[in-house]
Amino acid sequence: MSYRLRRLDPVSERPDSAGSDQDDVFEDLVAAETGRDPDLAVIEAGSRTLRTQGARPQTDAVPARPTDPAVVEALKEIEAELAARWPETKLDPSLVRVETLMDVLGQPQRAYPTIHITGTNGKTSTARMIEALLTAFELRTGRYTSPHVQSYTERISLDGAPISYERFIDTYHDVKPYVDMVDAQQEHRLSFFEFLTGMAYAAFADAPVDVAVVEVGMGGSWDATNVIDATVAVVTPISLDHTERLGATPGEIAVEKAGIIKRDATVVLAQQPVDAAQVLLKRAVEVDATVAREGMEFGVVAREVAVGGQLLTLRGLAGEYPEVFLPLHGAHMAHNAAVALAAVEAFFGVGSQHSGGLDPDTVREAFASVVSPGRMEVVRRSPTVVLDAAHNPAGGEAAAAAVREAFGFSRLVGVVGVSDGKDVRGLLEALEPVLAEIVVTRNSSHRGMDVDALAALAVEVYGDDRVQVEPRLDDALEAAITLAEEEGEYSGAGVLVTGSVITVGEARLLLGKE
């Protein structure tokens, strides 16, 4: 059986492409490594108030805690009701419940076009960049990401800012009667994630938004978000995570991820392992989707470290965008930026319906506005404390590379708290080359790994003399800062807090980041 792969024209064939030297550099992208940092929706940033208010991006999109006692009580009741449902870590291979909810709600997810994002690493940062670009082009956006750090409201954003607590509460009460109807009809009640997904789609329709940027919770085909027919599907780098649910190889995992690629859509593929790429391309052929591949149709042409981030030249679907400042550290973030740019170009029809690219100044403005707490985020000086929520080996490798490149630490102490079910040894091994010492700890989540079990693994990787155990995160932070201070105020020592979204989120609060 022969397959016809429909794809966007390679940029190297376009009249406005760069000269041969840059083409040679670009072709080298095909062989570039695929390791990227993990998805972390939890620590939201780069927010904007409603576009109609004309506000500039805020510095942090993690909302302040509510002060109204009535709001606090209402949120507690909602959180208790949601927590009593199936957790989002439980994957059920069925869309019946969420499809039924969409039916009784009147199909709110059909009220706006969508960009759907799956993958293993980099989903949330890519979603945030896509959102920034769309907002810069004066579209009203809705963004749905997960998980959260302080409040469920962070998962549902309008125009870059989490919806207000009051709006979250109102949306919950609007949707709840319909959820009750579905619950009564089904063998199992709607899950935590299915309920929130219904709330997000309803909130976006009510706003209304011009476009929604939707990140899967886990996988793709059977993910609750997959009741949309996105015009653009994005697949960030696939690596091993949630293997007990999704598969033991990148290729097996890609089968589930490929489910978001719909007929006649455009699929934007980040660099992938070979077996994953084969699965994704086969799916694109089957549904006659248009394909844009990093390293072929788009990519990072050049990048250099700059104060507060990096300066990029990005190759889009219709030419180059030079001098793009991205205020985020690490090669993985540059690749995420290239994917985000291609996704927005595809959404606007660049590379297919018309050949002209996006306005370069608007693209630069958008990327310059992106901030990302919890991604190589400096939250303290003297000693410098950096937060990065890497939670799998690929994320650990990306974090290690970024910290080497962006920070000149003479000695780095790690604070690591992880969740059960992860490849903890792989993460520890990825971080080992950059950490002089490691303080193992546990966050407050019920999924947090037992600190003694984590310590045993850490000793195997680092040796007994480089491992310290502090069961409480606040004590772990204090111990790591003390270790870093032993070299003196001007020594260049630092602390890296990592291992879990929850660990980083709690560390942000302990270190005064509201």
Side-chain angles (χ1 to χ4, degrees), residues 225-265:
T225 62
N226 202 31
V227 290
I228 55 176
D229 289 321
T231 56
V232 178
V234 177
V235 186
T236 66
I238 293 174
S239 60
L240 300 183
D241 203 1
H242 302 297
T243 53
E244 73 284 2
R245 298 178 180 89
L246 301 179
T249 68
E252 290 178 1
I253 293 172
V255 173
E256 172 68 18
K257 306 279 188 185
I260 74 162
I261 303 173
K262 304 299 176 59
R263 182 161 298 279
D264 297 325

Side-chain angles (χ1 to χ4, degrees), residues 248-439:
T249 68
E252 290 178 1
I253 293 172
V255 173
E256 172 68 18
K257 306 279 188 185
I260 74 162
I261 303 173
K262 304 299 176 59
R263 182 161 298 279
D264 297 325
T266 297
V267 54
V268 177
L269 299 180
Q271 291 172 351
Q272 303 289 348
V274 173
D275 58 343
Q278 291 172 338
V279 170
L280 296 168
L281 293 173
K282 182 175 183 291
R283 168 67 177 180
V285 168
E286 291 170 347
V287 297
D288 201 26
T290 302
V291 177
R293 300 158 296 176
E294 183 182 7
M296 298 297 289
E297 285 77 38
F298 69 92
V300 180
V301 173
R303 71 181 194 93
E304 57 184 272
V305 177
V307 176
Q310 51 192 311
L311 192 64
L312 309 175
T313 297
L314 300 176
R315 182 75 65 91
L317 302 179
E320 291 189 2
Y321 298 82
E323 298 182 351
V324 175
F325 176 69
L326 180 68
L328 302 173
H329 299 293
H332 57 290
M333 286 297 185
H335 289 285
N336 290 341
V339 171
L341 175 62
V344 173
E345 286 184 314
F347 180 77
F348 285 124
V350 172
S352 57
Q353 297 175 21
H354 61 79
S355 59
L358 303 178
D359 177 65
D361 289 335
T362 305
V363 169
R364 294 187 188 103
E365 177 187 354
F367 278 119
S369 74
V370 176
V371 293
S372 189
R375 306 276 188 107
M376 288 293 129
E377 178 193 14
V378 176
V379 293
R380 171 186 164 144
R381 298 286 185 181
S382 189
T384 299
V385 178
V386 180
L387 307 181
D388 191 87
H391 62 268
N392 59 26
E397 291 169 4
V403 80
R404 281 196 199 98
E405 179 181 82
F407 303 95
F409 292 125
S410 60
R411 178 169 172 246
L412 186 62
V413 181
V415 174
V416 179
V418 301
S419 297
D420 277 329
K422 299 295 181 179
D423 182 358
V424 178
R425 179 183 290 277
L427 174 64
L428 294 174
E429 290 174 345
L431 295 169
E432 190 275 336
V434 298
L435 297 182
E437 291 154 295
I438 181 173
V439 181

Side-chain angles (χ1 to χ4, degrees), residues 193-210:
F193 188 71
E194 289 168 337
F195 198 143
L196 279 179
T197 300
M199 288 177 59
Y201 289 161
F204 297 159
D206 184 62
V209 301
D210 299 318

Side-chain angles (χ1 to χ4, degrees), residues 440-513:
V440 297
T441 189
R442 180 173 180 170
N443 57 53
S444 65
S445 169
H446 68 279
R447 295 176 57 211
M449 185 176 183
D450 177 76
V451 71
D452 291 329
L454 175 57
L457 277 176
V459 168
E460 292 178 11
V461 176
Y462 291 77
D464 186 68
D465 59 339
R466 295 170 62 193
V467 178
Q468 182 171 333
V469 181
E470 294 291 347
R472 289 169 51 102
L473 181 56
D474 54 350
D475 292 336
L477 292 171
E478 183 176 353
I481 290 171
T482 300
L483 287 170
E485 287 175 336
E486 287 178 355
E487 288 200 358
E489 183 178 358
Y490 303 105
S491 67
V495 174
L496 174 66
V497 183
T498 189
S500 165
V501 168
I502 299 168
T503 300
V504 165
E506 292 179 355
R508 292 184 85 245
L509 293 176
L510 289 169
L511 294 165
K513 296 291 288 186

